[in-house]
């Protein structure tokens, strides 16, 4: 029994060490061995004037770094893909509904403005409900898997109700749209936490970009699907489609999807509760129980704790800089149909639906490039830091590629600068394209030109989303779903406000000046990114100290 006890203890110590790195100042907050290295802040890396000690190198060779996850690589990717499919329903449920608004208004004998209320309440619940679901997904008594299944089931049942709603009951339509939003919106939030569970930091950019792809493409293909269904099979067919699709995905998740929350399953090798296991554990094959312990709970998980996250200055800055370009893109999408009709009045509804595919293509391009670029830049920054410590080029390259152990942040002085140092490129291109799009529409240039501008704008905003969300995952380990919920609240509420007033601005000053104003809004927002790069490390250290004091108080009360 003694060896087993020792193994468990070592594993727990190592896990707690990793969490202390992430919750606080990263690896650079740890004492440096033998006094060999002096840290000098240069961009996102550290500089050292001494060679690393031989003793440290020998210990590293004798004790290989433990992998971040017990899952094999194909199991990680399949898990992420399943999570991404579930996340697709959040934007898909919203956007397939839009083309049917005129038809539904006629069916219910209500005005367009009255039917638009169902869109407004959907966005409000889309922002608020993830606070509840997200906090439950971070709770070690629940986990990710039950919330995925609950959200998909709720979405499926609400779509049945919407498809069967009598046209004399407008109030029921509004109510069920709220229920639909509560079920669909949260799956995207939980997916972020799933990525944090299974992916090492240097791999998260690619995986997060891939998951974000659905959230960005769905607003483009959703209107096409909704228009085709409503035009050929009636508006009720939209909800039957969503019902069948969500039901099939819920069944697949119940059969195959494993629990990933690290405070329940650790690196994946700790068995969860019996009721929380997949029916067919294909994705758990060759994952052995090695007697490890789950990782410690980083913070309480409830909606109040989600709201408390907003007391962190760095979180508020990142959420605001994420919400501004998101709102601008939604303004572009919601004004797209009347803008294009002003250029070419002969366009049909199907033509207009197909126009949305340009932004989908931009989202794909941005996802494929930004995710890989963020991961490459992280490894490159780490490699350069290790070279400055005196490691040989081959050794530094090898360590930079190894991103799954306790030393995954080795050499990174400021994770904020590392993640955001490419942001001037993304923001600069985005602002130029947004302003250019407004004046191109004002001059009624060829639609092909505006489609190209939309493509580029979406590619850049994808890169902004990916870098910001990846940084949030680094700064708040163990609270991925709660952080994503707070992100959802901020961007949905701000976007709802902007979408509701953008038509008034266009009517007042014209579309050219409207998008110039929106571009200027982005320009005056970017200094907040620079502020995060400069002061993020300090705020992170203060948060770590505050959380340490709170943990000590909880421990004293427990005694």
């Amino acid at each position: 029994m003694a060896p087993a006890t020792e193994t468990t203890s070592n594993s727990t110590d190592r896990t707690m060490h990793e969490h202390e790195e992430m919750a606080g100042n990263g690896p650079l907050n740890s004492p440096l061995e033998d006094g060999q290295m002096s840290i000098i802040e240069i961009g996102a890396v550290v500089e050292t004037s001494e060679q690393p000690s031989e003793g440290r190198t020998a210990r590293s060779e004798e004790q290989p770094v433990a992998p971040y996850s017990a899952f094999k690589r194909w199991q990680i990717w399949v898990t992420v893909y399943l999570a991404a499919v579930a996340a697709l329903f959040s934007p898909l449920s919203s956007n397939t509904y839009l083309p049917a608004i005129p038809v539904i208004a006629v069916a219910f004998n209500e005005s367009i403005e009255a039917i638009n209320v169902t869109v407004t309440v959907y966005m409000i619940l889309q922002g608020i409900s993830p606070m509840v679901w997200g906090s439950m997904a971070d709770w070690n008594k629940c986990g990710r898997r039950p919330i995925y299944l609950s959200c998909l089931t709720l979405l499926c049942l609400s779509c049945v109700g919407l498809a069967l709603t009598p046209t004399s009951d407008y109030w029921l339509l509004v109510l069920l749209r709220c229920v639909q939003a509560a079920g669909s919106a949260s799956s995207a939030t939980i997916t972020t936490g799933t990525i944090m569970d299974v992916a090492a930091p240097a791999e998260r950019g690619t995986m997060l970009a891939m998951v974000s792809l659905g959230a960005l493409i769905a607003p483009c293909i959703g209107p096409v699907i909704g228009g085709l269904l409503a035009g050929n099979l009636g508006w009720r067919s939209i909800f039957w489609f969503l019902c069948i699709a969500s039901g099939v995905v819920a069944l697949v998740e119940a059969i195959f999807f494993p629990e990933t929350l690290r405070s329940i399953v650790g690196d994946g090798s700790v068995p969860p509760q019996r009721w929380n296991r997949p029916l067919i554990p294909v994705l758990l094959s060759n994952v052995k129980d090695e007697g490890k312990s789950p990782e410690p709970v980083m913070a309480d998980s409830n909606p109040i704790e989600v709201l408390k996250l907003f007391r962190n200055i760095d979180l508020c800055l990142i959420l605001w800089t994420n919400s501004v370009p998101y709102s601008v893109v939604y303004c572009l999408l919601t004004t797209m149909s009347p803008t294009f009709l002003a250029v070419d009045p002969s366009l049909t509804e199907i033509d207009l639906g197909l126009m949305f595919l340009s932004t989908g293509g931009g989202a794909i391009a941005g996802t494929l490039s930004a995710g890989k670029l963020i991961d490459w830049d992280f490894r490159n920054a780490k490699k350069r830091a290790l070279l400055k410590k005196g490691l040989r080029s081959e050794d530094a390259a090898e360590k930079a590629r190894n991103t799954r152990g306790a030393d995954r942040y080795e050499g990174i002085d400021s994770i904020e600068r590392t993640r955001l140092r490419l942001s001037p490129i993304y923001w600069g291109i985005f602002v130029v394209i947004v302003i250019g799009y407004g004046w191109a529409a004002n001059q009624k240039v060829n639609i092909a030109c505006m489609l190209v501008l939309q493509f580029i704008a979406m590619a850049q905003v994808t890169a902004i989303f990916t870098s910001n969300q990846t940084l949030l995952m680094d700064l708040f380990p163990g609270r991925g779903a709660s952080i994503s919920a707070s992100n959802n609240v901020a961007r949905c509420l701000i976007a709802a406000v902007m979408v509701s007033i953008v038509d008034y601005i266009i009517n007042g000053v014209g579309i050219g000046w409207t998008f110039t104003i929106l571009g200027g809004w982005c320009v005056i927002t970017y200094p907040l990114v620079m502020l995060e790069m400069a002061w993020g490390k300090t705020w992170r250290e203060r948060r770590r100290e505050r959380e340490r004091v709170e943990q000590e108080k909880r421990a004293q009360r427990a005694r």
Side-chain angles (χ1 to χ4, degrees):
M1 294 297 293
T5 303
E6 183 178 352
T7 301
T8 303
S9 176
N10 291 341
S11 173
T12 304
D13 292 343
R14 181 173 63 252
T15 301
M16 294 182 64
H17 175 66
E18 292 179 21
H19 275 287
E20 289 172 359
E21 291 177 357
M22 288 291 297
N25 191 30
L28 296 169
N29 212 43
S30 304
L32 301 175
E33 296 189 27
D34 304 325
Q36 293 290 327
M37 185 167 65
S38 60
I39 299 177
I40 304 175
E41 186 172 338
I42 299 181
V45 297
V46 295
E47 181 177 10
T48 177
S49 57
E50 300 291 335
Q51 296 287 338
S53 66
E54 297 178 359
R56 181 178 180 180
T57 303
R59 286 191 295 271
S60 298
E61 293 176 354
E62 292 174 2
Q63 299 180 358
V65 175
Y68 183 80
S69 175
F71 294 109
K72 293 184 178 179
R73 189 158 187 80
W74 72 268
Q75 294 171 323
I76 292 175
W77 273 106
V78 172
T79 301
V80 172
Y81 276 123
L82 289 175
V85 172
L88 183 66
F89 286 100
S90 176
L92 192 62
S93 300
S94 173
N95 289 278
T96 52
Y97 180 82
L98 298 180
I101 287 178
V103 179
I104 295 175
V106 173
F108 280 81
N109 195 26
E110 298 284 349
S111 65
I112 295 292
E113 290 76 12
I115 299 301
N116 279 339
V117 171
T118 64
V119 178
T120 302
V121 297
Y122 186 97
M123 293 192 71
I124 293 174
L125 267 294
Q126 190 178 34
I128 296 175
S129 62
M131 289 197 302
V132 178
W133 292 113
S135 59
M136 290 180 65
D138 285 338
W139 186 30
N140 64 342
K141 302 298 183 183
C142 183
R144 317 287 191 207
R145 176 182 153 83
I147 302 303
Y148 276 121
L149 298 179
S150 299
C151 288
L152 291 169
T153 302
L154 184 61
L155 171 60
C156 181
L157 296 177
S158 66
C159 288
V160 172
L162 285 165
L164 299 176
T165 299
T167 54
S168 58
D169 295 332
Y170 167 74
W171 65 270
L172 185 59
L173 178 69
V174 175
L175 176 62
L176 289 176
R177 281 286 286 173
C178 293
V179 178
Q180 185 188 37
S184 65
S186 304
S187 56
T189 299
I190 308 166
T191 301
T192 303
T194 301
I195 295 175
M196 292 182 63
D197 295 335
V198 300
E203 299 173 327
R204 291 174 182 170
T206 300
M207 294 186 180
L208 183 64
M210 189 274 295
V211 170
S212 301
L213 181 64
L216 294 170
I217 290 181
C220 311
I221 65 173
V224 178
I225 296 174
L228 291 173
L229 290 173
N232 294 288
L233 300 175
W235 63 270
R236 296 181 189 273
S237 64
I238 294 175
F239 300 114
W240 285 122
F241 164 76
L242 292 172
C243 170
I244 296 171
S246 59
V248 170
V249 173
L251 181 61
V252 172
E253 302 266 343
I255 295 174
F256 298 110
F257 194 81
E259 178 57 59
T260 63
L261 183 64
R262 297 183 77 89
S263 60
I264 295 178
V265 299
D267 62 359
S269 62
V270 181
Q273 307 94 324
R274 289 189 176 275
W275 56 266
N276 197 11
R277 299 177 186 179
L279 301 179
I280 302 178
V282 176
L283 297 179
L284 295 174
S285 60
N286 299 320
V287 177
K288 299 179 180 179
D289 182 4
E290 300 177 351
K292 297 181 180 179
S293 301
E295 294 188 359
V297 178
M298 296 301 297
D300 295 334
S301 296
N302 56 65
I304 301 301
E305 292 300 320
V306 175
L307 293 177
K308 286 182 179 180
L309 289 172
F310 286 96
R311 64 183 175 176
N312 296 294
I313 299 176
D314 52 350
L315 175 68
C316 293
L317 291 181
I318 297 171
L319 293 185
W320 181 260
T321 56
N322 219 23
S323 301
V324 168
Y326 179 86
S327 302
V328 172
V329 165
Y330 252 84
C331 288
L332 186 151
L333 292 174
T334 54
T335 59
M336 182 174 168
S337 294
T339 299
F340 282 16
L341 283 172
V343 176
D344 186 356
S346 65
L347 294 174
T348 65
E349 291 183 357
I350 295 178
D351 293 332
L352 292 173
L354 293 174
M355 297 295 179
F356 284 87
L357 295 177
S358 65
T359 50
I364 294 174
T367 296
L368 296 177
S369 59
K372 293 290 185 183
L373 183 60
I374 289 172
D375 289 344
W376 171 85
D377 188 57
F378 181 90
R379 290 191 293 269
N380 189 50
K382 182 176 179 180
K383 178 181 176 181
R384 289 198 293 170
L386 294 173
L387 286 174
K388 290 182 178 295
K389 289 169 58 178
L391 270 69
R392 296 181 305 166
S393 178
E394 296 81 2
D395 295 337
E398 179 65 26
K399 279 201 167 191
R401 286 191 297 268
N402 187 359
T403 58
R404 299 193 176 196
D407 296 332
R408 58 189 178 275
Y409 290 97
E410 182 180 359
I412 302 297
D413 179 47
S414 172
I415 191 64
E416 294 83 2
R417 292 190 178 186
T418 301
R419 294 301 193 190
L420 298 176
R421 64 179 179 174
L422 296 177
S423 62
I425 301 174
Y426 305 145
W427 283 77
I429 297 176
F430 180 68
V431 168
V432 171
I433 294 300
V434 166
I435 296 176
Y437 172 83
W439 288 107
N442 186 73
Q443 298 299 316
K444 297 183 178 180
V445 302
N446 190 283
I447 287 179
C449 175
M450 291 193 289
L451 291 176
V452 171
L453 293 175
Q454 286 185 351
F455 178 94
I456 300 173
M458 185 59 80
Q460 298 310 307
V461 84
T462 304
I464 294 173
F465 291 164
T466 303
S467 58
N468 283 348
Q469 191 68 18
T470 305
L471 176 58
L472 287 174
M473 292 163 66
D474 291 326
L475 296 180
F476 296 89
R479 286 178 282 180
S482 298
I483 289 297
S484 187
S486 63
N487 188 14
N488 209 50
V489 170
R491 69 179 187 177
C492 284
L493 296 184
I494 295 174
V497 172
M498 291 305 302
V499 167
S500 66
I501 66 175
V502 66
D503 284 329
Y504 295 103
I505 302 176
I506 291 176
N507 293 334
V509 300
I511 192 167
W513 282 111
T514 297
F515 281 94
T516 300
I517 293 171
L518 293 176
W521 187 28
C522 294
V523 171
I524 63 177
T525 297
Y526 185 74
L528 299 180
V529 180
M530 300 173 63
L531 188 64
E532 169 63 17
M533 294 171 68
W535 288 89
K537 179 180 176 181
T538 300
W539 292 325
R540 176 160 44 91
E541 291 173 343
R542 291 175 182 174
R543 177 171 58 253
R544 182 198 58 174
E545 179 61 23
R546 183 178 67 242
E547 290 178 347
R548 184 188 65 79
V549 173
E550 291 176 352
Q551 289 178 355
E552 290 179 352
K553 290 181 179 179
R554 284 197 296 267
Q556 290 177 356
R557 288 196 297 267
R559 295 171 187 169

